[in-house]
Amino acid sequence: MSPAPAPGRLHHLLQIEGLGRELLFQLLDTAESFLPVTQRAVKKVPLLRGKTVVNLFFEPSTRTRMTFELAAERLSADVFSLDVAHSSTKKGETLLDTLRNLEAMQMDLLVVRHPLSGAAAFFAAHAAPHVRVLNAGDGRHAHPTQALLDLFTIRRHRPDLGELRVAILGDVLHSRVARSQIAALRLAGVREIRVGGPRTLLPPALESLGVQVFDCVEQALADVDVIITLRLQQERMQGGHLPSTAEYFRRFGLTEQRLRRASPEAIVMHPGPINRGVEIASEVADGERSVILEQVSNGVAVRMAVMALALGAEPAPAEA
Ligand code: NCD
């Protein structure tokens, strides 16, 4: 079992809730210091040399898995990604036995994505004291590093976080990303958080989180500074949520026409993968307000920051 974490320091990262404002901004500032590393000719610092990072992805992933891998490489860690589809999990090995075996290989940091909410917390609860666990998405529960890279991207465009109106559009019900984003935006003190989408895809009691709820996208978009679109997570739906994807796009999709409701300087975000013509029009996804690919680039620096701080390797200013 892991010991109680030291207050104010990053231990495991399972969710945004409970992080604390100071640590949130320390993570963002550390990511800022790593950003130049990810862009220069030699994209490496020796901070995690000798450490072993394991990526354990029980669900499909392109951006999250690759950027976690890259982040570990940029920090000079040894990193390997278990191909779960071809691992002993398929032969009935339990999560606990998988963990014990990875620990026997002297791993230091485990990055977990799993379809069950609470899976990352399970690993954290059973990990050896020196092992750190990072949640790369568990069921509908949380995706904290995505929320951090989203907040990081917002802050690079609009440092005046306390002034911002942010709209999160679409399938909030099935979105671990939205849950973590709302927690991060609240902790960062943004002025207004709105969610917009069909009632069938908005979880109950959102208002109790201090969020404004709209089932009319036009209203949700009025004068906002940041628009976050979400993928329609049809793999998590049992049916009955929607008439059709075409109808969804017609009523709720982010089109150029709807974008005009927002502030003229508004940025458009999406965690990916994008379903073009479902939650967002191609012209908007590829348009001049879109920062979607910047989110991906920033994901490397943010995940470097999370890994470095979780393993207690704080970068000296000269290393940035
Ligand atoms: C998200 C996820 O897997 O939670 N993707 C991501 O990590 N960038 C969102 C999604 O699948 O729609």
Side-chain angles (χ1 to χ4, degrees):
M1 293 284 270
S2 293
R9 295 188 72 93
L10 189 62
H11 194 76
H12 305 300
L13 179 62
L14 305 179
Q15 57 180 25
I16 296 292
E17 292 85 345
L19 259 192
R21 209 177 144 83
E22 209 173 307
L23 193 47
L24 177 76
F25 285 106
Q26 189 192 359
L27 281 162
L28 299 186
D29 293 344
T30 306
E32 200 67 56
S33 78
F34 282 135
L35 198 59
V37 175
T38 67
Q39 294 163 345
R40 67 193 188 199
V42 179
K43 303 176 186 61
K44 257 192 199 308
V45 285
L47 271 177
L48 295 189
R49 194 158 52 198
K51 299 287 187 193
T52 302
V53 174
V54 178
N55 270 330
L56 200 53
F57 278 58
F58 294 86
E59 266 189 1
S61 173
T62 300
R63 280 150 293 274
T64 306
R65 180 171 150 183
M66 298 298 288
T67 55
F68 261 116
E69 262 182 55
L70 261 184
E73 301 258 9
R74 301 295 190 235
L75 292 166
S76 308
D78 297 317
V79 52
F80 61 96
S81 295
L82 185 71
D83 183 357
V84 173
H86 298 106
S87 74
S88 291
T89 305
K90 293 285 164 207
K91 299 181 189 168
E93 187 171 75
T94 65
L95 292 185
L96 199 53
D97 282 332
T98 303
L99 174 67
R100 293 288 170 253
N101 279 272
L102 293 170
E103 284 174 349
M105 299 174 207
Q106 318 298 337
M107 70 139 175
D108 300 287
L109 183 71
L110 185 62
V111 180
V112 185
R113 167 169 290 191
H114 199 283
L116 291 180
S117 298
F122 174 85
F123 279 110
H126 293 91
H130 77 280
V131 169
R132 297 290 178 269
V133 177
L134 307 181
N135 183 3
D138 63 329
R140 298 184 192 185
H141 168 236
H143 194 349
T145 58
Q146 180 69 45
L148 289 173
L149 76 89
D150 293 337
L151 185 60
F152 179 82
T153 305
I154 293 171
R155 191 177 74 156
R156 297 205 95 235
H157 285 268
R158 293 293 303 266
D160 52 338
L161 292 174
E163 303 298 316
L164 299 186
R165 294 191 173 97
V166 181
I168 303 175
L169 301 184
D171 183 3
V172 179
L173 181 66
H174 300 100
S175 178
R176 54 195 175 205
V177 172
R179 238 168 292 281
S180 289
Q181 283 168 339
I182 291 169
L185 292 166
R186 288 187 69 193
L187 196 54
V190 307
R191 173 172 161 188
E192 223 176 279
I193 308 170
R194 304 178 186 172
V195 302
R199 284 277 163 191
T200 49
L201 293 179
L202 299 178
L206 268 176
E207 284 94 345
S208 67
L209 296 176
V211 172
Q212 297 179 27
V213 180
F214 298 85
D215 50 17
C216 167
V217 174
E218 282 77 8
Q219 283 175 14
L221 285 171
D223 299 321
V224 293
D225 306 289
V226 177
I227 306 164
I228 302 176
T229 47
L230 298 172
R231 184 175 64 88
L232 200 57
Q233 308 221 347
Q234 285 170 295
E235 77 278 15
R236 296 190 205 281
M237 294 179 194
Q238 260 100 53
H241 288 90
L242 291 171
S244 71
T245 50
E247 172 71 2
Y248 180 80
F249 181 66
R250 207 176 57 71
R251 288 204 45 210
F252 301 102
L254 185 63
T255 57
E256 286 199 315
Q257 196 187 356
R258 290 198 171 112
L259 183 55
R260 286 190 213 113
R261 314 281 301 206
S263 146
E265 304 295 303
I267 56 171
V268 173
M269 306 174 70
H270 192 304
I274 296 174
N275 285 154
R276 292 170 181 265
V278 179
E279 65 267 359
I280 189 166
S282 272
E283 307 82 77
V284 178
D286 304 330
E288 58 173 10
R289 313 291 343 140
S290 170
V291 298
I292 294 172
L293 293 177
E294 255 177 67
Q295 290 172 263
V296 179
S297 305
N298 291 340
V300 179
V302 168
R303 290 180 170 123
M304 286 172 77
V306 172
M307 288 179 162
L309 293 187
L311 288 174
E314 280 171 48
E319 275 172 321

